Amino acid sequence: MYLEKKSSERLVEALDRLIECTGASFREEEALMECLSSIPDPVHRAGHNEVLAQMVLLRDYAIESDRRRLLAQLIHVDRQLTTHLSDALEAPEREHQH
């Protein structure tokens, strides 16, 4: 949507859905982790909260139609999510090796 230069309203709507779905996914992940280990991981939860906060900032830049900041924040959020997913995929492998 960014590359296609869609309207700010459409971009904000898409970001709202993304934030909502990401929050739900993070809550499910945290519940599963707590169920499997019975110990909450506050550091991991803080990481989730940081990603969500960065996504809200991304939304704010979309509302302001600040394309320069929007692009920089989009790259930042993309890297955070990619790193999180990569770490999540590597975690079972590390557990299996031990």
Side-chain angles (χ1 to χ4, degrees):
M1 293 184 92
Y2 174 86
L3 293 175
E4 294 173 3
K5 297 185 179 181
K6 298 292 182 182
S7 70
S8 293
E9 294 82 20
R10 289 202 49 209
L11 187 53
V12 170
E13 288 174 10
L15 288 168
D16 283 340
R17 285 192 310 274
L18 180 62
I19 292 167
E20 181 181 329
C21 292
T22 302
S25 176
F26 284 168
R27 287 188 297 278
E28 288 179 24
E29 179 185 327
E30 291 167 10
L32 182 59
M33 288 174 65
E34 193 170 330
C35 179
L36 294 174
S37 71
S38 72
I39 301 170
D41 185 346
V43 173
H44 194 86
R45 179 170 285 160
H48 285 171
N49 291 337
E50 175 61 26
V51 170
L52 289 169
Q54 294 299 320
M55 293 175 87
V56 170
L57 186 58
L58 176 64
R59 182 187 182 278
D60 291 345
Y61 291 147
I63 289 171
E64 296 169 6
S65 297
D66 187 337
R67 290 189 60 81
R68 183 181 57 82
R69 285 186 175 170
L70 179 63
L71 178 58
Q73 188 66 14
L74 184 60
I75 291 167
H76 179 69
V77 168
D78 179 67
R79 286 183 180 157
Q80 283 185 305
L81 288 172
T82 301
T83 298
H84 180 73
L85 292 171
S86 177
D87 290 348
L89 290 173
E90 290 176 6
E93 290 179 16
R94 285 191 303 265
E95 292 293 322
H96 185 61
Q97 291 173 353
H98 293 265

